[in-house]
Amino acid sequence: MSQYYDMGDQTLWNPSNGASRLFMSQVSVYQAELGLPSGIGPMQADECQIDPVVFTAFVDALLAWHRSTSHAVMAALSEGFVATVLVLAERAGIEVTWQSAGFAEVGGLKDVQVPMAREPSEGAWAAAVQQKSRELGRFMAV
């Protein structure tokens, strides 16, 4: 069995039910973390629609959040989800914002890794995330 993630008439991804269930659970986690809706609609009859406008804002905020974390464990935990979302964005033709501006944590509080991890440059970070997304995209059936 499989499920469909569609934007209009275009299928962006057709994962197994298990992969889809895990992904949708993570969508809920990151919507709560970012305080933003994802634009990924509910799964109904093995299909869900993705709202391009809301999804674009979610992707940009997710990338800014991911870039701004200096906590090694949080970065590692979010890496696969970020890569998966980027594959969907690319397939949808969404141009993402690679600069870290635009996301401020509530109250200015930030999780910090102790000892501090060395932060890569903006270009190195973007290249690494894009590479992970490209690698993962090969395994995401359309």
Side-chain angles (χ1 to χ4, degrees), residues 11-125:
T11 296
L12 304 179
W13 187 28
N14 179 226
S16 68
N17 287 352
S20 180
R21 185 175 51 253
L22 182 59
F23 177 72
M24 289 299 273
S25 294
Q26 290 180 324
V27 167
S28 295
V29 166
Y30 288 97
Q31 286 179 134
E33 184 68 24
L34 299 173
L36 292 172
S38 66
I40 299 173
M43 190 60 67
Q44 298 174 324
D46 291 330
E47 295 180 3
C48 81
Q49 281 291 322
I50 299 175
D51 179 306
V53 173
V54 178
F55 186 61
T56 299
F58 179 78
V59 172
D60 287 343
L62 179 66
L63 282 175
W65 174 87
H66 185 65
R67 176 64 178 117
S68 70
T69 186
S70 61
H71 195 287
V73 174
M74 289 176 65
L77 288 170
S78 61
E79 184 177 86
F81 180 74
V82 170
T84 304
V85 166
L86 284 174
V87 171
L88 295 176
E90 180 180 325
R91 290 178 179 176
I94 293 171
E95 189 172 324
V96 299
T97 303
W98 285 100
Q99 296 166 334
S100 60
F103 181 77
E105 293 189 48
V106 177
L109 299 176
K110 185 175 181 178
D111 289 298
V112 178
Q113 177 71 42
V114 178
M116 292 289 287
R118 191 170 154 213
E119 292 187 30
S121 69
E122 193 76 31
W125 170 81

